[in-house]
Amino acid sequence: QVQLVESGGGLVQAGGSLRLSCLASGSISSITTMGWYRQIPGKQRELVARITTGGYTGYADSVNGRFTISRDTAKNTLYLQMNSLKPEDTAVYYCNTVYNYYAWGQGTQVTVSS
């Protein structure tokens, strides 16, 4: 089984930055496309960023230009650099594969104040 542990969230003012980390541990059979998701209370979880095995990245329009996804395969760690944060970025952020999900972790709370 693979365990996913997100960290790095916190409370920041609009315009600030955060760097989220996702550590994967356990039985990892292969490296696949990974992504960061977020969920706002009362709304569906949405994919905001992804990175392929070839290092190609993609972003939701809402975060494009502000967020950067990266991966350190040696450390089994996924990162999300979040800049120019907006109040609407407030959510619980999760990491997972884009396809064939592992069990979801606890997520990390990001709160952006006005």
Side-chain angles (χ1 to χ4, degrees):
Q1 292 75 32
V2 174
Q3 294 79 48
L4 301 170
V5 180
E6 300 91 348
S7 62
L11 174 64
V12 297
Q13 294 185 8
S17 298
L18 285 172
R19 188 178 188 87
L20 307 184
S21 298
C22 168
L23 176 63
S25 62
S27 300
I28 303 173
S29 60
S30 64
I31 299 173
T32 63
T33 299
M34 298 291 295
W36 281 97
Y37 302 76
R38 68 186 182 188
Q39 187 167 32
I40 299 170
K43 296 184 178 181
Q44 296 288 343
R45 181 157 38 209
E46 64 173 340
L47 178 68
V48 298
R50 67 170 73 195
I51 184 166
T52 71
T53 56
Y56 294 97
T57 59
Y59 302 92
D61 289 342
S62 58
V63 308
N64 193 30
R66 300 186 297 117
F67 291 8
T68 302
I69 187 171
S70 61
R71 179 172 58 197
D72 186 336
T73 56
K75 296 181 178 180
N76 293 326
T77 303
L78 189 72
Y79 302 98
L80 185 67
Q81 179 66 46
M82 309 165 67
N83 297 326
S84 302
L85 284 163
K86 303 176 180 179
E88 52 262 43
D89 295 319
T90 296
V92 178
Y93 284 73
Y94 303 86
C95 63
N96 216 318
T97 57
V98 171
Y99 311 102
N100 302 114
Y101 304 131
Y102 294 124
W104 295 97
Q106 295 174 307
T108 186
Q109 176 71 50
V110 171
T111 302
V112 184
S113 62
S114 301

